Amino acid sequence: MVQIAVLGCGLMGGKIAGCMAYHGHKVKVYDSNAAALDALHSNLEVDKRELKCEGLMIHPNFLGQVLCISRLEEVVRDAEYIFEAVIEDLEIKQNLIREVSHLCSQDAVISTNTLNLDIREIAVKAAYPERVMGLRFLHPVYAVPEVEINPTAFTDQKCVEKVRQFLEGIGKTLFFRSGREALILTPEQINSRKLARRQQLLRQHGMLGIPDRGMPHLGHGGNLTPPQDDECATVVDRDCAICMDRPRDCLLCPCHHLVTCHDCAKSLMNRRDFCPICRKEITETIRVYTS
């Protein structure tokens, strides 16, 4: 499981977050717009239903891998890959990438998702411009394997290779733009890629996707993120989703999600933040003791 940060949960950012969780990775999402964060899981529920209808479902529980967090430093601090997908505005992207580069690990790879902006102009503001590159996912992200890569003159080739290996591991294919025009898929091309993905699942699982076994509603009296059903299955995650250091030992009320340690739960409550899973208001915390 890889630690992923997605910045911006609009149409593309939400799809990138869902796609990474769909392939078994742990995703933290940041957006300065609280309403956008609140709506993300509802949007991902729609994606989940569409994936099932189209025969593209790997496992039904991937939503539990997506955490919505309103503090940027908590999202990027431990991330190995950071995918920025905010609005197409050069100054906003420059400022965000600069701030992120001072908050994240020096080993993190930072990418920006842009159609036509100059990647070099975005990267030059970063503390580590050699770790910044352009990565443009194509819609619909879940089914389309192509990802456009746009490194700059600053970008370290080792970072490019690291990204290539990671994305190929989830079935993506990197390509460089040919000419000035960006690749935009036609409906026929999109359908052909969905068909290819269904055939791939058929070969891997012996069926067109895996039947939905049911997932508790995000507001259930749940607890730890359920284990996954696909080849990316991992043991139940027991580390705090915020600090990543201490064990999960605190229930957030009233949703009863067990996703943070006691200290981080208190911090969320004191700053009137919300549950990272369901985005419900936290009215109380309950310490949990395990043997």
Side-chain angles (χ1 to χ4, degrees):
M1 179 187 294
V2 173
Q3 303 289 342
I4 304 292
V6 176
L7 313 179
C9 57
L11 176 61
M12 185 54 69
K15 301 294 186 186
I16 294 171
C19 181
M20 295 299 161
Y22 170 89
H23 286 285
H25 299 298
K26 187 171 182 179
V27 184
K28 292 182 179 180
V29 182
Y30 166 82
D31 198 298
S32 59
N33 185 340
L37 279 178
D38 293 344
L40 179 60
H41 272 284
S42 295
N43 295 336
L44 292 178
E45 285 282 6
V46 174
D47 290 350
K48 176 185 166 184
R49 290 194 293 270
E50 290 179 353
L51 288 168
K52 181 181 177 182
C53 290
E54 293 174 348
L56 300 175
M57 179 66 73
I58 293 179
H59 60 73
N61 295 326
F62 72 92
L63 295 186
Q65 296 285 62
V66 180
L67 302 176
C68 300
I69 300 176
S70 58
R71 296 189 69 172
L72 181 61
E73 62 270 27
E74 292 175 353
V75 171
V76 303
R77 181 171 50 207
D78 299 299
E80 298 171 61
Y81 298 91
I82 300 169
F83 298 96
E84 174 270 304
V86 299
I87 62 173
E88 195 82 342
D89 182 286
L90 179 60
E91 184 177 0
I92 290 175
K93 286 180 179 287
Q94 285 177 329
N95 292 337
L96 181 58
I97 294 298
R98 181 180 65 244
E99 184 177 3
V100 166
S101 69
H102 286 91
L103 295 172
C104 68
S105 163
Q106 294 184 18
D107 296 326
V109 177
I110 305 172
S111 69
T112 178
N113 191 94
T114 177
L115 188 64
N116 289 312
L117 294 179
D118 187 336
I119 308 297
R120 184 182 181 280
E121 289 297 313
I122 298 173
V124 74
K125 300 288 187 177
Y128 309 103
E130 68 275 11
R131 309 198 71 81
V132 180
M133 68 186 73
L135 286 176
R136 186 175 70 90
F137 291 78
L138 303 188
H139 184 76
V141 178
Y142 296 97
V144 175
E146 291 94 339
V147 177
E148 180 185 307
I149 183 170
N150 190 355
T152 73
F154 305 129
T155 308
D156 189 332
Q157 186 59 37
K158 292 180 180 178
C159 291
V160 174
E161 179 62 19
K162 181 179 178 180
V163 166
R164 183 191 67 79
Q165 291 182 9
F166 170 68
L167 290 178
E168 287 184 355
I170 62 172
K172 298 297 185 184
T173 302
L174 294 179
F175 72 94
F176 293 93
R177 183 178 300 189
S178 176
R180 298 178 61 86
E181 296 299 321
L183 173 63
I184 305 294
L185 298 181
T186 66
E188 292 76 15
Q189 291 172 325
I190 290 173
N191 288 333
S192 71
R193 283 154 176 78
K194 288 182 178 180
L195 176 60
R197 179 60 177 156
R198 283 196 295 270
Q199 292 173 339
Q200 181 185 43
L201 287 174
L202 179 61
R203 291 192 300 270
Q204 291 177 347
H205 301 288
M207 60 185 73
L208 292 180
I210 297 176
D212 193 343
R213 300 173 190 171
M215 175 186 175
H217 186 271
L218 289 172
H220 73 103
N223 31 48
L224 298 171
T225 302
Q228 310 303 317
D229 295 319
D230 71 333
E231 65 271 17
C232 298
T234 60
V235 296
V236 173
D237 196 342
R238 299 187 182 278
D239 291 334
C240 171
I242 303 296
C243 68
M244 305 297 294
D245 291 327
R246 296 178 290 269
R248 301 183 181 192
D249 62 358
C250 194
L251 285 175
L252 306 180
C253 298
C255 64
H256 293 166
H257 280 120
L258 182 60
V259 69
T260 71
C261 66
H262 182 257
D263 290 346
C264 288
K266 286 295 185 184
S267 177
L268 288 173
M269 188 172 176
N270 289 340
R271 67 180 190 238
R272 297 183 179 180
D273 212 332
F274 303 95
C275 171
I277 293 287
C278 64
R279 298 293 295 167
K280 284 188 176 181
E281 181 181 2
I282 302 169
T283 59
E284 184 183 3
T285 62
I286 301 175
R287 188 76 175 265
V288 176
Y289 296 91
T290 58
S291 58

